Amino acid sequence: VQNLTVQRLCHEQVITTVNGTLPGPVISVREGDDLVIHVVNQHGVFQLLSAWADGPSYVTQCPIHPGQTYAYRFKITGQEGTLWWHAHVSWLRATVYGALIIKPRFGNFYPFPSPYEEFPILLGEYWDANVVDVENQGLATGAAPNISDAFTINGQPGDLYPCSQTAIDAAYTAPYVTDVIVLSPGQTTDVLFTADQPVGSYYMAARPYITAQGIPFDNTTTSGIIVYQGAKSSATPIMPALPAFNDTPTAYKFYSNLTGYPLGPHWVPVPRQVDEHMFITFGINLAPCGEGSATCAGPFGQRLSASMNNESFQLPSKLSMLQAFFYNNKNGVYTTDFPDNPPSVFDYTNSSNAFNQSMLFAPKSTKVRKLKFGSTVEIVLQNTALIATESHPIHFHGFNFHVLAQGFGNYDSIKDPRKFNLVNPQIRNTIAVPTGGWAVIRFTANNPGIWMVHCHLDVHLPWGLGMAFEVENGPYSTLPPPPIDLPKC
């Protein structure tokens, strides 16, 4: 992990990278491999019984200090396809990231025709500034951080930006034909692309999906070029028709039409017996600006915040939560009283509540939900309209989950369970909960340790949109002791 000077958008900028490249190096493995990654700090994958390698700062470990080395050791099991690895300190994931490609074991094959070639495409955001400074400035003022200056494909902004070069969840789904792919932050999708168009040059392009009203965002478009052999080098690439920035019907159609693939390897049937039910609301909140008469740049002169079930998550600073769990020393690190339901029932997606100050403030806390090993948990994830109505990408560490149903408005506990797909639902580790809507997921808590659940929009975790699960040790599954080189706080 080291600094690198790059030329983007007509300027030089020092960024943090891995092995001097943006994106970082592709890690290619096979299902069943043991993977060891030595990280040297010169400046994520599904972890089964290897929570010490999960990486989130102050959740499973303390940050790797400058000059320090740490080795992540874990087994790749039960997953095939493409994931991504990234930093979990501050906003460093904006440049410290790369692809993790999991191929079938030797002797096994993909459950689809073997492609002519495999090529990873990573979408990112780029700030013409130090991203840590951008985050800290937002936190200091209490407002949203500055929006990005560009989007990137494999580290390059593409032809539509000034001074830019020409650019070139690991669970199977049933085949689905589409001319658009919707990815929330943190999601991955493997696509079979067929080159069956007339010989020529074609743009592939990406732009944000944004639904929040009145909030500034980077409304630019990044692009790469697909060039057929024999195409004229002087030909202008053809640009595809892109959905509007706020095209919710297209986004929902893509997400809701995906289903799982029960005939593929590593398929896990939906558990039918549910032991724990949770209803989790989440959204943007406010926090007091500070002492005395200080004012911040958020609404009503307060500081922007976020919460789940009206608890605004705050990371510890002296010891990681996983260490506290292992050594049974939770005092002062976290408590196990995260609520199963929000403190009050209201019209969650009614925009008339957006600036109701009696509902906007949430206390800061470090609370987790304790789960028995092997218990099955069903969660209703309910968006709210507080401050802004938007789609939140909720990411789970330590577990994949089945997406049983999703929809708009407030979840109806009588009518909506009739929509549950218990046969072939998609399996995810990140779910883009529909804007102004809900999603129902189900998973089995079969992985001991502390596992973070949070919004994968970079700004929302520092604001507090997260929680964690504490999963007890099981009779045949016990969290091993921490490695001797685990970073110290």
Side-chain angles (χ1 to χ4, degrees), residues 182-353:
V182 186
L183 292 173
S184 77
Q187 283 186 325
T188 59
T189 297
D190 285 3
V191 179
L192 283 175
F193 167 81
T194 303
D196 59 359
Q197 297 300 301
V199 172
S201 298
Y202 298 85
Y203 277 119
M204 56 178 175
R207 62 173 20 168
Y209 166 54
I210 299 291
T211 59
Q213 300 291 321
I215 294 179
F217 67 96
D218 184 347
N219 63 354
T220 58
T221 300
T222 182
S223 62
I225 301 176
I226 298 172
V227 181
Y228 281 69
Q229 291 181 358
K232 294 181 180 180
S233 59
S234 60
T236 300
I238 299 173
M239 177 64 76
L242 296 175
F245 292 105
N246 60 350
D247 190 344
T248 292
T250 293
Y252 183 73
K253 177 183 177 182
F254 179 83
Y255 280 131
S256 60
N257 275 282
L258 293 177
T259 56
Y261 191 51
L263 299 180
H266 317 301
W267 171 254
V268 178
V270 181
R272 297 304 181 99
Q273 177 65 41
V274 177
D275 304 300
E276 304 282 355
H277 289 269
M278 299 182 69
F279 188 100
I280 299 180
T281 59
F282 46 88
I284 309 304
N285 295 91
L286 295 178
C289 180
E291 299 294 331
S293 60
T295 60
C296 291
F300 307 111
Q302 304 298 327
R303 183 180 300 278
L304 285 171
S305 181
S307 70
M308 285 184 159
N309 278 357
N310 208 50
E311 296 288 343
S312 187
F313 187 79
Q314 185 167 281
L315 288 168
S317 60
K318 297 181 179 179
L319 187 71
S320 78
M321 299 169 69
L322 189 62
Q323 289 170 297
F325 167 78
F326 183 82
Y327 294 113
N328 197 28
N329 181 26
K330 302 166 190 174
N331 293 338
V333 180
Y334 68 88
T335 60
T336 58
D337 55 345
F338 182 84
D340 285 349
N341 297 282
S344 61
V345 176
F346 61 98
D347 191 356
Y348 306 115
T349 57
N350 188 336
S351 59
S352 66
N353 290 322

Side-chain angles (χ1 to χ4, degrees), residues 76-115:
I76 305 293
T77 180
Q79 289 179 293
E80 292 175 13
T82 304
L83 295 168
W84 68 304
W85 57 263
H86 58 275
H88 227 289
V89 176
S90 186
W91 272 21
L92 291 184
R93 79 179 70 185
T95 54
V96 179
Y97 65 89
L100 173 57
I101 300 174
I102 308 170
K103 299 181 178 181
R105 296 177 186 236
F106 284 110
N108 294 348
F109 303 94
Y110 289 125
F112 50 77
S114 180

Side-chain angles (χ1 to χ4, degrees), residues 45-48 54 79 371 373-375 377 395-402 427-430 442-453 469-471:
V45 69
F46 173 52
Q47 302 286 349
L48 184 60
D54 195 41
Q79 289 179 293
L371 297 174
F373 177 84
S375 59
V377 186
H395 172 62
F396 276 55
H397 288 246
F399 304 98
N400 288 336
F401 50 78
H402 292 93
I427 297 175
R428 287 283 198 180
N429 61 44
T430 303
R442 191 180 292 181
F443 70 96
T444 300
N446 55 5
N447 200 2
I450 298 289
W451 302 107
M452 189 74 183
V453 176
F469 287 109
E470 177 195 275
V471 180

